[in-house]
Amino acid sequence: MFSHPFGSLTSNGSGAIKNGTLELIKEHKELRCGIVPKELLPESSDKALYSLDADFCSAVAASATHNARDSVRFVHVDDSFDGFERLAKGEIDVFAGARVHIDHDLLEPKLGVGFSFSQPYFYQSHEGSTSDSKTRALATRQDDPQWSDFVYWVVASTFYAEKENISREMSYEKKKMPLVYLFGKEYRRMFRDAILAVGNYGEIYARNVTATIPRGGRNLNNAISFGPQHFPIPFF
């Protein structure tokens, strides 16, 4: 897990595009988050990850609505395919806990459409393997790149906040999260709203997962200090 540099955030964007997901969320004042309910998850570790998924939906909802409370509606889906199918149909705005897979990015075989993904916010290694892992991320429709970018950077902001020791418990004045103008002036506090709602990544992980899955491995933030910069296959 890596908190990569944001680059320039001061360029003035045009705001939410007409009839785009961000504009519709603004009108409805809520984010529709698809999520597999706890009772359908097979293992106790997966059940713990439900709350992790939910927190990342809450972070995006707070950033998109400027409201840290009552701004997300959780829509229960039966399984991963049902989540992607509802996302493709526009019944949900984001699918939480999605497994990042190149087939889903380019063209999901059964649905015939592609999806975009945030940075993974959890890596679950298979027992006895250090290289094969399941990832969890937020998935969005590929036909709305503005919304996909918005979701991607909200997730990334939680990693940045942890690296910079910016926590939820700090006073608002001390939360030195950068202002963002790329999505228009209205969303300039999107990073600050996300951290105000759920905290940095370390806080999110500790609150939801540590008791069941102690943090380590690829779930550590910027654990490797030196070495070349790696560029993953882009999921856009």
Side-chain angles (χ1 to χ4, degrees):
M1 193 166 291
F2 182 69
S3 172
H4 50 69
F6 289 137
S8 176
L9 301 173
T10 57
S11 299
N12 289 318
S14 58
I17 61 174
K18 186 174 179 58
N19 297 322
T21 306
L22 191 57
E23 183 185 64
L24 294 176
I25 291 172
K26 176 183 175 180
E27 291 178 359
H28 299 150
K29 299 181 180 179
E30 71 171 8
L31 169 82
R32 299 170 302 169
C33 171
I35 191 169
V36 179
K38 287 184 179 180
E39 56 267 24
L40 295 182
L41 296 173
E43 301 177 10
S44 59
S45 60
D46 291 330
K47 296 181 190 297
L49 296 174
Y50 171 90
S51 299
L52 185 73
D53 297 333
D55 262 7
F56 275 97
C57 277
S58 296
V60 174
S63 296
T65 65
H66 322 299
N67 179 12
R69 297 181 179 179
D70 303 322
S71 58
V72 57
R73 174 161 60 92
F74 293 105
V75 179
H76 285 174
V77 300
D78 295 335
D79 50 30
S80 179
F81 180 77
D82 187 35
F84 281 113
E85 185 174 36
R86 293 193 183 203
L87 185 59
K89 291 179 178 179
E91 296 176 3
I92 55 178
D93 304 310
V94 65
F95 174 36
R99 184 175 180 182
V100 180
H101 196 287
I102 193 170
D103 285 350
H104 290 151
D105 173 55
L106 298 176
L107 190 70
E108 205 288 327
K110 294 182 180 180
L111 296 174
V113 296
F115 300 92
S116 297
F117 298 88
S118 69
Q119 275 187 265
Y121 51 77
F122 184 81
Y123 294 89
Q124 184 172 12
S125 298
H126 292 293
E127 190 172 341
S129 172
T130 58
S131 60
D132 187 16
S133 64
K134 293 180 180 180
T135 60
R136 299 180 86 86
L138 298 183
T140 52
R141 292 185 297 276
Q142 205 170 56
D143 61 0
D144 191 343
Q146 183 191 59
W147 175 239
S148 296
D149 286 348
F150 189 94
V151 171
Y152 183 96
W153 289 112
V154 170
V155 173
S157 73
T158 67
F159 307 145
Y160 172 90
E162 181 184 32
K163 182 174 73 74
E164 298 296 326
N165 295 314
I166 300 170
S167 72
R168 183 185 189 184
E169 300 307 318
M170 287 181 175
S171 66
Y172 195 82
E173 293 75 16
K174 291 183 178 180
K175 285 183 171 70
K176 301 300 183 182
M177 294 297 289
L179 296 176
V180 185
Y181 291 87
L182 300 177
F183 300 95
K185 186 177 180 181
E186 179 180 357
Y187 298 99
R188 67 190 182 278
R189 298 182 182 273
M190 57 182 285
F191 290 170
R192 299 183 183 186
D193 288 337
I195 304 308
L196 184 65
V198 299
N200 66 43
Y201 182 74
E203 292 175 293
I204 298 170
Y205 195 102
R207 183 168 59 246
N208 297 302
V209 188
T210 295
T212 305
I213 309 173
R215 192 176 176 190
R218 297 178 71 184
N219 292 314
L220 295 175
N221 194 351
N222 290 31
I224 301 176
S225 301
F226 303 100
Q229 185 173 5
H230 296 270
F231 289 90
I233 296 174
F235 292 100
F236 290 97

